[in-house]
Amino acid sequence: MRPVDSVRPPGGLTPTGPATGLRVRDLSVRFGSTAAVADVDLDVGAGGIVALLGASGSGKSSLLRGIAGLEPPTHGTVFWDGVDLSATPVHQRGFGVMFQDGQLFPHRDVGGNIAYGIAHLPAAQRAMRVRELLALVGLPAYERRAITSLSGGQAQRVALARSLAPAPRLLLLDEPLSALDRELRERLAVLLRDTLRATGTTALYVTHDQDEAFTVADRIAVLAAGRLVRVDTPEELWRDPGTREVAAFLGYGPFLEASVASALGWPPPGIPQDALVAIGPGGLVVDLAGPLVPVGGQTPRRGVVEVSVTLPGGHPAVLSATERVPDAVLPVRLEPARCAVVAAAAPTSSDPGAGSEQTARPAAGAGWRT
Amino acid sequence: MTQPVAASGPLPLGRGRAAAWVWRAGWVAAAALPLIFLGIFFAWPVSSLVARGFSSEAGSGLSAVTEVLSAPRTWRIVRDTLTLATLGTLASVLLGLPAAYLLYVVRFPGRGALRAFVTIPFVLPTVVVGVAFVALLGPRGPLAFLGWQESLPAIVAALVFFNFSVVVRTVGGLWGRLDPRAVQAARALGASPARAFRTVTLPALGPAIASAATLVFLFCASAFGIVLVLGGVRWSTIETEIWYQTTQLLDLPAAAALSITQLVIVALALMLTSWTGARQERALRLRGDASGEHAWAWRRDGFASVVTGIVVATLLVLPLATLVVRSLRNRTGWTLEHYRALGTSVGRSLPVPVWVAIRNSLVVALQATVIALVVGVLVSLVVSRRPRDPLARSGLRVLDAVYMLPLGVSAVTVGFGFLITLNRPPLDLRSSMILVPIAQALVALPLVVRSILPVLRAIDPRQREVAATLGAPPWRVLASVDGPFLLRGLGLAAGFAMATSLGEFGATTFLTRLDRPTLPVVIFRLIGRPGEATFGAALAASVVLATLTALVVLLAERLRPAVASDL
């Protein structure tokens, strides 16, 4: 397992990290006998936006709720600017939360919702802040609108404005765009990123959508089965996913052994025996010089045809062609620039030391690329 | 650069912790107050009643329970109670199903008004219903020729009058929201309308029908006022027998033994209710978003329309119309003399003029409503919490069950229990006149909780979480998130409590003082006396009581605050 260097310093287990911002140490959340979150260490520097990426059931919402104080951690500590927040109740943490379905208050209009968290301000200032935030999320003059009159996307923008109104020191977003349709989601992800940047808000963004995480965050933390397996910048994470588990979650696949990769044109000296080539989108191309592989089904898509092939070793794979393939076989090869090299075995132990032993390989992995 | 873990910075926690403790103590008090109330005014009377039933009379060596249970009269009464309840339930369900369909699945002009009208009988006082059916079926009534006075059909008809709306609302509410595409799919697969109904609609409605039926059975098995007024000497139920043994024969141990029998029957019915209720909740989650309503068509809806029309006309409209018309007539023609008699004590039949009883009823009902609302709101707030602490959570489940206990205890049992416990030291409340409103509040409490609790439970817990993350302290979360929902249920709860209390007869008849009667007690006294004048006054007083009750319920529906969203 690749060590998460930004999370656990090589020096040992002493919790260190940025003096400002969020620091989570050893956090575990259990529901009955199920461990939803196990021993998570995570830092979010002031002004940073970290996406918490994981499949459904990976514990990302529980981690977020643990940080907000909505779920009592089994053990572990949440710090802000070095201060332990264990005894601080939710409403005094200064952490905002935005839920997937907005959870707007139905008895208040749009303005009343946004003003909820700034009730302590004088009325005039409050009204100004509401106007300011509505302009920021692109809904000017919506103050008196009823919550029921809003579309799904509008409701989420109001929810964003509401959670930003009290200027929380940390904003926790729990799949804020998941309930929306694809097009709207892509549009709002950009708006969200721009708004968070414009307000300088420190944010932890939970999502299961890889594209959303890459759009919004400046760092991505990958969570699997309650454990943090990777924290990195979007670019670095894509370039070098590290483990098969992470790569598969990001959309890489299938995974080829060294011999198969070499047969498909992976440049010498090949890859180590305990590593795999992860084929990314566009990582398998038609090349007349390549070995012939049998063609399975062909599915027309917009502008291209998706051709299913069976690679040596029995790996099913898909590649794009401009038109239907007339023959039962097709010459293919790997496109190394669109593939990644990952560790073969998933980590089997929860012992943090187990990760350290494997550190050498992926660090050198970049060098094996073409 | 960084701090070690242990050196967490100082926080102004002192005040926060104190506030948290005050908050927690507040919740404990909120849970304890209803518990104390129910302990004194429910657990104590009922348990001493049970004890009285099992204690042996001096010398006889037999407890009252064994004595009562070995009497053939008891078994006749138990059999009659079950017969009446079964027939009343069957008739209510069979007649209610077509109406549920017509009023909730079919669209036609005037549907809203008809729905509202069908609901009225449920809130009418039992004594009024009894008097209306006596006016209809008794001597010189329009249906006197049937010879149904003091007969089984008369009582069953009155039970249906009462419980028809329970079936219509419970089943109709679900029927209107069933996804019509399930039936359409069955029809597309070749099923006839009858087969689609039998194989798709009926199974979907099953839980709702079962739940309505057990509820109606519960109401019928504990019917008191109706049977007392309509049953005469031939028909009695356990409830009327308790009253008879207590007030006429002064045989308190026998009454206690009968109360225990009734408790057992009611407990069984309640268990059935909660079981079917749980099943219905499961079924309700399956409902589709698409509306299952369609416009009226003779071929499809003719049968339901005719059945509902006959039921509404003969069972609902006719008794009420007869009541009103006969209250305005004497042998010679139209007159207001019966209403004028309400200003008097009706030829010395009563210790006080009827209008004084009206005033008493209103005062007592207001007191009872306040008590029921305070206790009911506390119960609902406490039970709707979702604490994180597993210990608190299981404690809450126990509280939930305890708070719901009075649901199944009949008004007569409450009244009788009060009579044998609270009129002597250590707590002698008999003379203070507070027992009547307390007993009425106890009877109204389940209705209050049932109007408020579901609304509070429907609040998404994340609404409270989001309020907390926006900086709202717990009291502000309660006021701003629960508050609006609470207000929404409160108007309706107040109306139900007031209407229940205004018409309450079972408990009140045990506890009311001769010189401070309530209106239902006065009506019962008038109907029991011979003479055209007293009967006319009973009719007029019934019309007044029915009008008051209906007005209260209508007002409560109006008071229900308009909200932007219907969650």
Side-chain angles (χ1 to χ4, degrees):
Chain A
M1 169 178 164
R2 184 190 163 95
V4 182
D5 19 27
S6 57
V7 171
R8 220 185 267 281
L13 294 174
T14 321
T16 57
T20 59
L22 177 76
R23 206 168 79 206
V24 176
R25 284 296 169 272
D26 223 16
L27 196 75
S28 295
V29 177
R30 299 182 75 87
F31 297 106
S33 58
T34 332
V37 177
D39 310 321
V40 164
D41 290 0
L42 180 69
D43 292 325
V44 183
I49 304 174
V50 172
L52 206 49
L53 186 61
S56 51
S58 59
K60 41 192 200 309
S61 289
S62 305
L63 174 56
L64 185 120
R65 293 174 61 84
I67 293 170
L70 295 170
E71 214 65 63
T74 323
H75 62 83
T77 318
V78 176
F79 301 90
W80 183 264
D81 287 356
V83 177
D84 181 354
L85 298 181
S86 303
T88 310
V90 179
H91 67 280
Q92 288 167 353
R93 287 197 179 193
F95 291 178
V97 174
M98 182 179 166
F99 285 111
Q100 178 179 345
D101 45 3
Q103 291 296 333
L104 295 174
F105 301 127
H107 298 96
R108 294 164 177 260
D109 57 17
V110 168
N113 265 279
I114 298 175
Y116 188 90
I118 46 173
H120 55 280
L121 293 182
Q125 237 175 299
R126 206 161 53 211
M128 214 170 75
R129 180 91 176 124
V130 170
R131 272 199 304 278
E132 190 184 303
L133 282 158
L134 278 175
L136 194 64
V137 298
L139 295 173
Y142 266 59
E143 283 99 324
R144 299 278 77 86
R145 291 278 291 268
I147 293 309
T148 41
S149 71
L150 301 177
S151 70
Q154 288 171 340
Q156 282 310 77
R157 284 193 269 173
V158 172
L160 177 66
R162 181 180 65 174
S163 53
L164 287 173
R169 44 191 191 177
L170 172 69
L171 182 58
L172 303 160
L173 303 106
D174 192 359
E175 309 228 6
L177 306 179
S178 297
L180 309 175
D181 60 50
R182 178 97 221 159
E183 193 198 351
L184 193 58
R185 198 157 69 215
E186 282 168 7
R187 216 147 41 82
L188 285 191
V190 174
L191 174 91
L192 240 162
R193 182 195 60 201
D194 295 347
T195 308
L196 292 176
R197 292 267 151 73
T199 52
T201 306
T202 312
L204 188 59
Y205 187 105
V206 162
T207 180
H208 65 262
D209 185 302
Q210 296 88 347
D211 291 333
E212 223 175 279
F214 279 78
T215 304
V216 175
D218 44 41
R219 276 196 306 149
I220 294 177
V222 181
L223 203 68
R227 292 177 183 282
L228 213 50
V229 291
R230 205 40 214 283
V231 181
D232 225 322
T233 61
E235 299 75 22
E236 184 57 29
L237 187 66
W238 181 254
R239 201 179 61 78
D240 180 15
T243 62
R244 175 180 181 151
E245 187 185 20
V246 175
F249 182 67
L250 293 179
Y252 280 100
F255 298 88
L256 310 179
E257 304 83 5
S259 56
V260 180
S262 298
L264 285 169
W266 189 267
I271 58 169
Q273 281 307 310
D274 63 346
L276 296 170
V277 167
I279 302 181
L284 191 67
V285 293
V286 179
D287 189 329
L288 292 176
L292 291 173
V293 295
V295 172
Q298 303 191 42
T299 313
R301 301 280 184 205
R302 284 171 303 175
V304 292
V305 177
E306 239 172 44
V307 183
S308 301
V309 295
T310 307
L311 300 181
H315 298 287
V318 173
L319 62 94
S320 291
T322 47
E323 54 195 45
R324 288 184 73 86
V325 178
D327 307 315
V329 289
L330 195 65
V332 297
R333 74 166 167 85
L334 293 172
E335 176 59 57
R338 294 185 175 273
C339 297
V341 178
V342 298
T348 51
S349 159
S350 61
D351 173 15
S356 312
E357 287 160 23
Q358 296 179 18
T359 56
R361 198 210 46 73
W368 297 329
R369 298 172 141 266
T370 316
Chain B
M1 167 184 105
T2 53
Q3 306 268 329
V5 189
S8 57
L11 266 182
L13 276 180
R15 248 184 52 199
R17 281 221 176 106
W21 275 109
V22 169
W23 185 248
R24 221 163 292 164
W27 277 112
V28 170
L33 193 80
L35 269 186
I36 294 169
F37 177 83
L38 290 178
I40 296 177
F41 296 111
F42 175 72
W44 186 30
V46 170
S47 54
S48 42
L49 185 153
V50 171
R52 166 96 51 137
F54 281 110
S55 70
S56 59
E57 287 286 278
S60 78
L62 278 176
S63 76
V65 169
T66 41
E67 204 170 305
V68 164
L69 287 187
S70 53
R73 177 180 164 86
T74 308
W75 289 108
R76 178 177 67 79
I77 287 165
V78 169
R79 202 188 57 224
D80 284 357
T81 305
L82 295 178
T83 307
L84 283 174
T86 308
L87 288 177
T89 306
L90 273 179
S92 299
V93 170
L94 286 181
L95 298 175
L97 283 183
Y101 168 76
L102 190 69
L103 292 179
Y104 284 86
V105 184
V106 183
R107 264 194 315 270
F108 58 90
R111 184 176 70 167
L114 195 55
R115 268 195 208 173
F117 175 76
V118 163
T119 314
I120 291 175
F122 183 67
V123 298
L124 287 184
T126 52
V127 175
V128 170
V129 178
V131 169
F133 274 85
V134 168
L136 180 68
L137 302 168
R140 296 195 296 115
L143 296 184
F145 63 88
L146 290 173
W148 277 6
Q149 211 190 351
E150 300 192 1
S151 74
L152 185 73
I155 300 174
V156 172
L159 289 176
V160 173
F161 174 93
F162 232 133
N163 294 303
F164 182 66
S165 70
V166 177
V167 177
V168 172
R169 288 177 72 158
T170 313
V171 179
L174 179 65
W175 207 331
R177 287 177 298 168
L178 281 186
D179 194 334
R181 285 170 301 183
V183 168
Q184 288 160 7
R187 299 275 286 119
L189 288 167
S192 66
R195 180 160 175 241
F197 175 77
R198 208 180 61 241
T199 54
V200 178
T201 310
L202 210 53
L205 292 178
I209 296 174
S211 146
T214 46
L215 206 58
V216 170
F217 186 85
L218 195 68
F219 289 145
C220 290
S222 54
F224 174 66
I226 286 177
V227 181
L228 202 59
V229 174
L230 291 176
V233 289
R234 167 66 192 88
W235 292 93
S236 41
T237 59
I238 300 176
E239 298 282 286
T240 61
E241 183 68 7
I242 294 169
W243 176 84
Y244 182 68
Q245 293 284 351
T246 313
T247 57
Q248 311 299 310
L249 304 182
L250 303 175
D251 188 350
L252 295 189
L258 285 164
S259 295
I260 294 169
T261 317
Q262 176 74 348
L263 281 175
V264 171
I265 292 180
V266 165
L268 288 177
L270 257 189
M271 275 159 60
L272 217 63
T273 309
S274 69
W275 179 64
T276 53
R279 280 180 51 201
Q280 178 173 13
E281 269 168 32
R282 241 174 293 150
L284 272 177
R285 266 183 234 121
L286 300 173
R287 84 195 138 111
D289 291 333
S291 167
E293 295 182 4
H294 55 69
W296 190 85
W298 171 251
R299 275 177 58 111
R300 185 176 45 203
D301 309 321
F303 173 74
S305 308
V306 169
V307 171
T308 307
I310 291 173
V311 170
V312 168
T314 58
L315 275 175
L316 269 52
V317 175
L318 197 56
L320 288 178
T322 309
L323 176 70
V324 173
V325 168
R326 288 193 69 182
S327 79
L328 290 167
R329 287 186 69 93
N330 60 14
R331 276 174 203 275
T332 53
W334 298 98
T335 175
L336 280 175
E337 69 179 44
H338 302 314
Y339 288 90
R340 279 197 295 272
L342 298 184
T344 71
S345 41
V346 198
R348 302 193 166 215
S349 317
L350 302 167
V352 294
V354 180
W355 71 269
V356 173
I358 295 176
R359 198 191 58 193
N360 287 347
S361 269
L362 287 173
V363 171
V364 168
L366 273 177
Q367 295 167 332
T369 304
V370 169
I371 298 171
L373 285 186
V374 168
V375 178
V377 164
L378 287 178
V379 167
S380 306
L381 279 177
V382 169
V383 171
S384 63
R385 292 308 96 180
R386 292 173 196 179
R388 267 199 225 113
D389 183 33
L391 202 71
R393 208 175 298 185
S394 46
L396 210 54
R397 264 199 297 275
V398 174
L399 275 185
D400 191 4
V402 169
Y403 288 147
M404 288 302 136
L405 275 181
L407 184 70
V409 173
S410 70
V412 167
T413 313
V414 169
F416 179 54
F418 276 29
L419 189 71
I420 61 172
T421 41
L422 299 173
N423 64 344
R424 65 189 62 175
L427 206 55
D428 186 1
L429 296 172
R430 186 78 200 281
S431 51
S432 72
M433 277 308 290
I434 194 65
L435 275 191
V436 176
I438 288 177
Q440 294 184 349
L442 209 55
V443 173
L445 187 60
L447 273 178
V448 171
V449 174
R450 279 181 164 213
S451 328
I452 298 176
L453 186 56
V455 187
L456 290 183
R457 280 212 167 128
I459 302 175
D460 192 317
R462 285 173 306 164
Q463 288 263 309
R464 301 189 185 101
E465 292 176 357
V466 108
T469 63
L470 288 167
W475 60 267
R476 186 169 174 228
V477 174
L478 187 70
S480 59
V481 177
D482 293 84
F485 287 91
L486 185 67
L487 280 181
R488 204 174 134 198
L490 207 61
L492 197 65
F496 272 139
M498 184 109 186
T500 307
S501 167
L502 273 177
E504 214 293 315
F505 178 61
T508 310
T509 187
F510 284 89
L511 303 170
T512 190
R513 270 184 3 199
L514 220 55
D515 57 332
R516 297 284 299 273
T518 62
L519 195 48
V521 173
V522 159
I523 292 172
F524 179 66
R525 195 174 282 234
L526 288 174
I527 197 90
R529 296 195 174 227
E532 199 184 335
T534 48
F535 186 67
L539 295 177
S542 294
V543 172
V544 170
L545 182 54
T547 310
L548 277 177
T549 314
L551 274 181
V552 163
V553 172
L554 281 179
L555 200 68
E557 293 270 3
R558 280 285 163 84
L559 275 180
R560 206 197 286 220
V563 283
S565 126
D566 211 70
L567 280 183

